[in-house]
């Protein structure tokens, strides 16, 4: 009877089943950053942080000093003011940081970056839910129509896409890691789809915010209780908010799609698994 080397067969099977461990883009010495790349990196991090926090502070300032502050159901007009603050916090500030951390964080293992990415998106969920409930309750008490404008329908689509993205990302890139080798091809196919839809969702959130600002300005223009000076100041504040939101969208898009790679590089940091 011919002798069979089982240890050799076992080793061969392990090699065949094992996914080849390729270097990540940023770990490849051929793709090392130079001084200009690091300056660009720091500029994006600092500028995006200032703008993401700044637009939230600007919205808070506008609501507190020119819209009468916050309340709940006892004051429906002030209850509405929770809507812009919470939606900007969830859809723009927290989601923007989540996207940028996944793209730019290089100081820890990738699994930790994934968890932080998920944490920021998870933190955005209660903000979005409370923001939706506040405007819905406010409109019902004031007997205003719901889902009648472009802003409201864009917001509905944005919320739906956000939930879909979160569920798909959670199961595809965290749960499926339990069977890392067997699900590698599926996860690798999902990465560019998830990244593209995430960026599209972020731009949808910005478009929804801008249309909401325009809608609120039209209502403010009809308010007889506002003086001309206050109306003019509010116009400047809301215009600054709109411009800041668009600039944030441009910077985040640049950061996500920018690779700092030589022409021969084939792997993008945005497509890490």
């Amino acid at each position: 009877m011919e002798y069979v080397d089982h240890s050799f067969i076992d080793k061969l099977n392990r090699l065949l089943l094992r996914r080849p461990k390729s270097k990540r883009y940023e770990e490849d010495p051929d793709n090392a950053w130079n001084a200009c790349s690091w300056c660009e990196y720091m500029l994006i991090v600092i500028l995006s942080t200032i703008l993401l926090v700044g637009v939230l502070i600007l919205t808070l300032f506008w609501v507190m000093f020119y819209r009468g502050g916050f309340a709940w159901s006892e004051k429906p007009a002030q209850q509405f003011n929770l809507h812009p603050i919470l939606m900007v916090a969830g859809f723009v500030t927290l989601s923007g940081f989540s996207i940028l951390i996944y793209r730019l964080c290089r100081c820890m293992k990738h699994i930790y970056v994934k968890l932080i990415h998920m944490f920021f998106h998870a933190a955005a969920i209660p903000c979005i839910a409370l923001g939706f409930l506040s405007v819905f309750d406010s409109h019902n008490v004031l007997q205003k129509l719901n889902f009648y404008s472009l802003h409201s329908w864009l917001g509905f689509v944005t919320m739906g896409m956000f939930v879909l993205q979160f569920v798909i990302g959670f199961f595809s890139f965290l749960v499926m890691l339990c069977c890392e080798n067997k699900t590698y091809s599926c996860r690798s196919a999902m990465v560019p789809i998830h990244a593209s839809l995430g960026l599209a969702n972020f731009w949808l959130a910005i478009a929804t915010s801008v249309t909401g600002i325009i809608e609120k300005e039209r209502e403010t223009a009809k308010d007889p209780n506002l003086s001309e000076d206050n109306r003019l100041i509010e116009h400047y504040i809301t215009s600054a908010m709109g411009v800041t939101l668009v600039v944030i969208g441009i910077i985040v898009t640049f950061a996500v799609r920018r690779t700092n790679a030589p022409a021969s590089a084939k792997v993008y940091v945005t497509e890490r698994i």
Side-chain angles (χ1 to χ4, degrees), residues 92-118:
V92 179
T93 301
L94 291 173
S95 294
F97 276 124
S98 178
I99 294 170
L100 289 171
I101 283 171
Y102 187 83
R103 170 60 180 87
L104 299 175
C105 187
R106 293 167 168 265
C107 59
M108 63 183 73
K109 291 182 179 179
H110 189 52
I111 184 62
Y112 299 146
V113 176
K114 282 185 182 181
L115 291 173
I116 296 173
H117 177 72
M118 187 199 71

Side-chain angles (χ1 to χ4, degrees), residues 5 11 17 50 66 133 136 166 176 180 193 229 247 253 263:
D5 190 348
K11 184 178 180 181
L17 293 174
I50 292 172
Y66 292 94
L133 288 175
F136 198 77
F166 185 84
M176 282 189 176
E180 184 174 1
I193 299 173
D229 289 340
V247 173
T253 303

Side-chain angles (χ1 to χ4, degrees), residues 91 95 99 121 154 157-162 165 192-208 249 252-253 256-257:
F91 273 129
S95 294
I99 294 170
H121 277 307
L154 280 176
V157 173
T158 305
M159 285 190 294
M161 186 181 289
F162 181 89
Q165 276 283 94
I193 299 173
H194 182 70
S196 298
L197 287 179
L199 192 58
N201 189 226
F202 189 71
W203 270 108
L204 261 177
I206 289 173
T208 305
V252 170
T253 303
V256 168
R257 303 315 305 171

